[in-house]
Amino acid sequence: METVFCPIDAHFADQISALLQPPPPPQVQEYFDQLITTRGCPGLIVKQNGAHGKGVYADVDFKEGDLVLKDQMLAGAQHSANKIDCLVCSFCFRFIGSIEVQIGRKLYLQDLGVAANNECDRQTFAHLPKDTCQINSSESEDDSYVKDPTSMEDCISSSSKYGTPLPKDIVESLMNGELVLPYSKQFPLPSVISCPGGCQEAFYCSQLCAEADWDLFHSLLCTGVRSKSLTKEALLKFFQHANETNDIFLLAAKVVTFTILKYRKLKASYSEDQGKCSTGNCDLSLLSEAWKPVSMGFKRRWWECIALPDDVNSCDEAAFRMQIKELAFTSLQLLKSAIFDKECEPLFSLEIYGHIIGMFELNNLDLVVASPVEDYFLYIDDLPQSEKKEAERITRPVLDALGDDYSVCCQGTAFFPLQSCMNHSCQPNARAFKREEDRDGQATLIALRLISKGEEVTISYIDEDLPYEERQAMLADYGFRCRCPKCLEEEP
């Protein structure tokens, strides 16, 4: 069996080893203390212990139902397939546009049969007026919906796999703001702000989010005219490969670009302070500082920690893991062709890339944002009978066209620095829960019961209601055997 060889791994072995070395405990403690302060959650403290590495502990008493944590992601990405169903801010993942745009866009893409990739929004908005990307449903008139309500009922055509399709002109009217649904102004969404690089693939809820994403990630991953990538063609090949294989590569790319862009800022600031011009050589101390947020996450090589699929026999495990390693190497080569930075060359080693992906594999948490479309149709359903009947003359054909999956939420994967420090228990005292006001991609955790000051805050990595043996088998993929009180009690 051939082995995968990456020359950068050999050439920068010492630098790579330094980057992957776990930070010293005092540095870890300082980092998380600062993070807790900036997150505005003074009721928590991160402690280090030998048994589980790190843990999060209550520094105050939490009552059942109390908010324990709101954690902003280090990096996150919407699943490629989910982009057809939901138009969200590419930085904070808040739904954007309007109820009409959300519905019209989804119906348009369904009818078009668009593959779930970065082209979906390019195709969606290509034929619409430029001002479509500045829609804000709160600016619409209350009753400016279809002039002839019966027209929506009369224009139903044959059934599709999604539902009963609407005519193309109705769908486009929803997208461009000409058709406003009844009561939709009760669910205003932020205007759609286009990518500052002009890629027509990333959209935002505000100029603030657009600028933040550009500065932290997107300037190197943009395929627009202002992109700082080496070539648009190479970047598109990387995206295509990720979308066809595993979109975890998109998350890894974000971490690489985050580190490169932070390094460049640190290098520019250092050179200015020293009154020197940049030499073009890698400064390992600055690269380590740029890498610091990533260094805090637990990491292993992806091809070593990925769970063996059920359809792969144990005797074929070595071959499977080699295929995964080759897949990562292919992705890395495509990314290198698109955004390579000589001063940050160690980041393009397979060892670093594999550990970044492994960090997401081991620590990844679901990125979920509830759909306002579901709230909208529930609102219509709860109207007084007379108003509901009138409104449903308009909304029923739309709902029928959407089909059973009318309320798909935004779904993705992200790395949350504080939540990733929380250890597992099959009897957790906290869980992820989005409240009514939680409308972006931040992780939100609430207390399931009283959590006393000094007690460790735990969550469940799996379905804790599964039988003992199934729980242990699933947790083995995380690299440990659970010894929580529930497991000790149920252990045969």
Side-chain angles (χ1 to χ4, degrees):
M1 183 183 298
E2 294 186 9
T3 58
V4 178
F5 176 72
C6 178
I8 297 176
D9 284 309
H11 190 72
F12 292 94
D14 292 342
Q15 294 92 327
I16 292 166
S17 177
L19 290 173
L20 292 177
Q21 188 73 20
Q27 189 180 101
V28 173
Q29 196 65 56
E30 180 185 10
Y31 175 81
F32 282 106
D33 287 348
Q34 290 178 350
L35 198 63
I36 284 171
T37 300
T38 58
R39 294 285 193 271
C41 44
L44 298 174
I45 185 169
V46 174
K47 294 182 182 179
Q48 301 171 75
N49 59 66
H52 305 295
K54 296 187 290 287
V56 179
Y57 293 79
D59 204 30
V60 297
D61 292 338
F62 290 101
K63 299 189 299 292
E64 181 180 348
D66 279 355
L67 175 68
V68 175
L69 170 67
K70 277 186 75 73
D71 196 10
Q72 186 175 339
M73 69 190 71
L74 173 64
Q78 183 182 10
H79 291 319
S80 299
N82 185 247
K83 291 181 179 180
I84 287 180
D85 297 304
C86 309
L87 177 63
V88 299
C89 175
S90 296
F91 185 70
C92 75
F93 302 95
R94 184 186 301 270
F95 277 78
I96 53 179
S98 65
I99 295 295
E100 290 82 3
V101 166
Q102 291 290 336
I103 293 172
R105 174 182 173 277
K106 179 174 180 175
L107 293 175
Y108 178 82
L109 292 173
Q110 285 179 355
D111 290 343
L112 204 61
V114 171
N117 56 35
N118 283 344
E119 290 296 311
C120 60
D121 281 311
R122 184 191 301 277
Q123 296 188 46
T124 306
F125 295 117
H127 69 291
L128 298 178
K130 290 183 179 180
D131 60 0
T132 300
C133 288
Q134 296 296 327
I135 290 177
N136 187 325
S137 63
S138 63
E139 297 170 357
S140 303
E141 293 297 324
D142 186 20
D143 295 320
S144 59
Y145 46 87
V146 186
K147 293 180 181 179
D148 179 9
T150 60
S151 63
M152 290 285 282
E153 296 175 320
D154 294 341
C155 63
I156 294 174
S157 57
S158 61
S159 173
S160 74
K161 73 171 185 174
Y162 295 107
T164 307
L166 294 173
K168 184 178 179 180
D169 60 332
I170 296 292
V171 172
E172 292 186 3
S173 293
L174 284 166
M175 283 197 295
N176 64 27
E178 293 176 1
L179 193 162
V180 179
L181 297 173
Y183 302 101
S184 64
K185 80 166 191 174
Q186 302 294 327
F187 302 88
L189 300 177
S191 299
V192 179
I193 305 297
S194 295
C195 164
C199 68
Q200 288 298 301
E201 291 160 7
F203 297 92
Y204 303 93
C205 67
S206 67
Q207 201 63 42
L208 196 64
C209 276
E211 292 171 0
D213 196 34
W214 185 261
D215 290 342
L216 291 173
F217 308 104
H218 193 61
S219 56
L220 281 174
L221 297 175
C222 178
T223 57
V225 293
R226 291 186 57 215
S227 174
K228 295 181 182 179
S229 65
L230 299 178
T231 72
K232 174 182 174 180
E233 291 72 21
L235 200 54
L236 288 172
K237 287 181 180 178
F238 167 77
F239 287 139
Q240 181 179 3
H241 177 264
N243 288 319
E244 291 176 351
T245 56
N246 195 324
D247 57 14
I248 201 170
F249 296 135
L250 302 177
L251 290 161
K254 279 196 164 187
V255 170
V256 173
T257 57
F258 168 83
T259 309
I260 291 173
L261 292 169
K262 190 170 183 180
Y263 172 83
R264 290 177 182 177
K265 289 179 183 177
L266 290 170
K267 187 75 178 283
S269 178
Y270 176 79
S271 299
E272 185 178 334
D273 291 344
Q274 298 296 314
K276 300 177 182 178
C277 295
S278 177
T279 61
N281 298 320
C282 176
D283 186 320
L284 184 58
S285 64
L286 294 181
L287 185 58
S288 296
E289 182 64 24
W291 173 258
K292 184 189 290 185
V294 189
S295 72
M296 299 296 166
F298 177 67
K299 291 179 287 295
R300 287 173 57 198
R301 298 180 187 93
W302 182 44
W303 45 90
E304 293 176 355
C305 66
I306 189 172
L308 195 68
D310 294 336
D311 59 351
V312 176
N313 195 290
S314 58
C315 64
D316 297 323
E317 181 173 353
F320 166 77
R321 298 199 182 281
M322 180 54 67
Q323 289 176 351
I324 293 298
K325 187 175 183 179
E326 292 170 351
L327 191 65
F329 185 63
T330 299
S331 172
L332 174 62
Q333 294 304 100
L334 292 170
L335 184 64
K336 181 184 174 186
S337 298
I339 65 168
F340 180 69
D341 185 306
K342 183 66 177 176
E343 290 192 43
C344 298
E345 193 165 1
L347 298 179
F348 294 91
S349 69
L350 183 58
E351 189 74 0
I352 290 286
Y353 197 63
H355 275 81
I356 292 173
I357 304 170
M359 180 181 72
F360 282 105
E361 185 73 31
L362 292 168
N363 298 281
N364 79 79
L365 295 160
D366 291 337
L367 190 168
V368 178
V369 185
S371 170
V373 175
E374 179 179 23
D375 295 336
Y376 170 72
F377 283 113
L378 289 174
Y379 179 89
I380 296 297
D381 194 52
D382 288 339
L383 286 170
Q385 190 58 38
S386 60
E387 296 174 31
K388 175 182 174 180
K389 184 177 180 181
E390 181 65 23
E392 284 189 335
R393 297 176 69 189
I394 312 299
T395 62
R396 175 54 62 182
V398 175
L399 187 58
D400 289 343
L402 289 169
D404 294 336
D405 296 331
Y406 73 94
S407 61
V408 176
C409 60
C410 171
Q411 299 170 348
T413 301
F415 177 76
F416 299 96
L418 284 173
Q419 190 173 354
S420 69
C421 294
M422 291 183 174
N423 289 311
H424 165 84
S425 172
C426 296
Q427 285 183 323
N429 54 23
R431 70 180 177 98
F433 180 80
K434 287 296 181 81
R435 304 163 300 170
E436 184 63 31
E437 62 266 35
D438 299 319
R439 292 291 177 174
D440 60 17
Q442 293 185 82
T444 308
L445 277 82
I446 63 164
L448 289 173
R449 58 169 175 79
L450 172 67
I451 305 175
S452 301
K453 181 177 179 179
E455 184 180 355
E456 183 174 9
V457 179
T458 58
I459 57 176
S460 180
Y461 298 173
I462 59 169
D463 180 357
E464 64 268 27
D465 294 326
L466 291 171
Y468 170 82
E469 293 295 343
E470 289 186 41
R471 297 201 310 272
Q472 294 294 348
M474 294 181 72
L475 291 169
D477 293 336
Y478 289 90
F480 68 90
R481 186 170 183 83
C482 185
R483 305 290 293 171
C484 73
K486 182 177 179 177
C487 286
L488 289 176
E489 183 181 336
E490 296 178 3
E491 188 174 19

